[in-house]
Amino acid sequence: MKIWKSLLIVLIVVANLALAQPSFADRPKFSKNPDYIEVTKALNELSQTKDTQTKVEGLTPEEIQNRIDELTLQKYALEAGNTWGQCRNETSKTLGVYGKNPKADDDDDDKKSPYDNELYFLAPGQTTQNKWDCDGIYLPNDVNVANFSSSPNGQGQELTGPAAIKILDGTQLVIQTNPDTAAIELNVPTVKVLNSNTANWFIPNISQALIDTRVPNAPSNQS
């Protein structure tokens, strides 16, 4: 009788482990995410700079703290398993944004896209749809970003297209136009710049005027 009871207990334990295994497998492996590794490294470097009161050329103590706060929130979003970013167009022009390519998983090689994502167009005043992952924005060849920095420790400079600007998951990127200089301004202090040599994204060498002729087709909260 004791043997049967022991076998029953063993079976119950095995069954519980079998049922619990999928839940463990579903946990996001954020520690292996390249974005998470990059954010953590940048946050540690900036925090160390602040603790040792080391001056960073071109950055005030307030700007350093703002970047630490932004990176802290980005790190938390990645740890929480947030898998999408959002873009908001507060300019008066149509904005090119990158998102999921519907043909990326197509089994037919003739229909499969050669790029990792797709270039969409977001109308002025629109925000990409919730839970639709906006990977970043396209910067035309005649548009520049003011006070841009690709490094948390870097001084702001001017960035000119053509280029793709990538954002991290869990980030809402707000794009505005400076009324005095007509340059684009971003609310996120640091973003990653991509070109055709560093990413498999469609990054054409075209002007803003041509972008303005496109029909807005990005999934948005207003559509």
Side-chain angles (χ1 to χ4, degrees), residues 35-209:
D35 287 342
Y36 181 80
I37 295 172
E38 184 176 343
V39 167
T40 302
K41 179 182 177 181
L43 183 57
N44 291 339
E45 290 177 355
L46 275 183
S47 298
Q48 185 177 5
T49 298
K50 180 185 176 184
D51 293 340
T52 58
Q53 297 183 343
T54 304
K55 292 184 179 180
V56 179
E57 184 179 357
L59 294 180
T60 65
E62 291 77 14
E63 289 173 329
I64 292 176
Q65 185 59 53
N66 287 339
R67 295 190 180 190
I68 289 175
D69 294 342
E70 176 66 28
L71 289 168
T72 299
L73 289 178
Q74 289 180 346
K75 183 172 182 282
Y76 171 76
L78 292 168
E79 290 174 342
N82 195 318
T83 58
W84 57 282
Q86 192 168 52
C87 298
R88 187 162 84 233
N89 182 7
E90 292 190 357
T91 73
S92 59
K93 304 289 186 179
T94 299
L95 184 70
V97 298
Y98 292 95
K100 178 176 174 58
N101 194 320
K103 297 181 180 179
D105 301 325
D106 200 313
D107 293 332
D108 190 341
D109 291 337
D110 293 334
K111 296 181 180 179
K112 184 178 292 187
S113 171
Y115 300 104
D116 294 338
N117 53 22
E118 185 167 325
L119 182 62
Y120 296 82
F121 302 99
L122 187 68
Q126 289 193 340
T127 302
T128 55
Q129 199 171 66
N130 292 347
K131 298 184 179 181
W132 184 82
D133 188 16
C134 181
D135 294 328
I137 66 170
Y138 168 73
L139 188 67
N141 58 22
D142 55 351
V143 175
N144 61 74
V145 178
N147 198 29
F148 164 81
S149 175
S150 60
S151 167
N153 297 335
Q155 183 179 358
Q157 56 186 350
E158 185 177 90
L159 170 69
T160 302
I165 298 176
K166 179 185 177 182
I167 63 171
L168 299 178
D169 290 339
T171 301
Q172 185 185 70
L173 181 66
V174 180
I175 305 94
Q176 297 177 311
T177 304
N178 186 299
D180 298 325
T181 65
I184 284 179
E185 295 179 339
L186 310 177
N187 68 317
V188 178
T190 55
V191 290
K192 183 180 293 185
V193 180
L194 305 176
N195 56 46
S196 300
N197 296 324
T198 58
N200 188 28
W201 293 22
F202 177 57
I203 309 174
N205 188 5
I206 58 178
S207 67
Q208 178 62 51

